[in-house]
Amino acid sequence: MSFLVSAVAAALAVTTPLGAIPGHGPNVRGQFEAAGTGNHRAVTFDKKAVPEKSRVAVVERTVKDGTRIVLRVRGIQAGRTYGAHVHQKPCGNAPDDSGAHYQNVKDPKSPSVDPKYANPQNEVWLDFTTDKRGNGRSTATVKWRFRAGEARSVVIHEHATETAPGKAGTAGARLACVNVPFT
């Protein structure tokens, strides 16, 4: 029996980065609070689109060939399509504090608007549309894992993500942000 346990542990250590257990990752839940009022897990920069006390959850799971991220929101503006992406830095008091989108292969130019780099295979795009109650959900699965410490938040943007050259990856103003310690 101990041989079997050791063999399974060894297989996990070889196939999973940094010895992480497949399937595990952060599970963040919180309420949006106004930016500038303290150090919060989730902040809103637009209280009409993303009201204070509306809720958010982000779950990261490693899967056999990559990473799956699930975003859920409750109580934000109803009947609207939002863009959402994983960003490099944590949320702050200003919308731009969260930095640029996390990219598996980094675009040498910034801001990144080249579809070669700004696309849902190289970034995590979590666009969603809310129902009549302001609830929405999105899931993205990518064929890679995050580099340690380089993905720190999910930002909700004002509209769906653009795909055209020169606009690829853009989704308008940053409405809200949630801190997530991606692994």
Side-chain angles (χ1 to χ4, degrees), residues 12-181:
L12 289 174
V14 170
T15 61
T16 305
L18 305 174
I21 298 171
H24 291 176
N27 184 350
V28 173
R29 296 176 191 281
Q31 288 186 25
F32 289 104
E33 303 294 338
T37 59
N39 202 6
H40 302 291
R41 175 171 284 157
V43 296
T44 179
F45 306 110
D46 183 327
K47 295 179 195 176
K48 181 179 177 189
V50 182
E52 289 184 83
K53 308 298 181 198
S54 58
R55 304 192 65 75
V56 62
V58 179
V59 177
E60 174 197 358
R61 294 293 180 254
T62 57
V63 293
K64 182 179 178 184
D65 296 324
T67 307
R68 177 174 297 128
I69 299 91
V70 178
L71 169 67
R72 289 185 306 265
V73 295
R74 295 180 61 108
I76 68 174
Q77 192 173 47
R80 179 173 175 175
T81 299
Y82 297 83
H85 312 104
V86 171
H87 281 247
Q88 296 174 358
K89 296 179 182 179
C91 309
N93 289 321
D96 289 340
D97 289 349
S98 57
H101 293 183
Y102 177 90
Q103 293 182 321
N104 184 47
V105 177
K106 295 179 183 180
D107 187 339
K109 295 183 181 179
S110 183
S112 181
V113 292
D114 181 345
K116 178 179 176 183
Y117 297 95
N119 64 66
Q121 291 77 41
N122 193 46
E123 299 181 349
V124 177
W125 291 8
L126 293 158
D127 294 12
F128 62 93
T129 301
T130 52
D131 64 17
K132 65 183 178 182
R133 292 187 184 114
N135 300 335
R137 177 185 169 109
S138 181
T139 301
T141 303
V142 292
K143 294 183 179 185
W144 39 266
R145 294 198 170 94
F146 295 108
R147 293 179 296 278
E150 293 188 33
R152 307 303 296 161
S153 62
V154 172
V155 172
I156 298 174
H157 294 268
E158 74 175 314
H159 60 74
T161 307
E162 303 274 346
T163 58
K167 291 187 175 195
T170 62
R174 298 174 189 208
L175 305 178
C177 182
V178 57
N179 287 313
V180 183

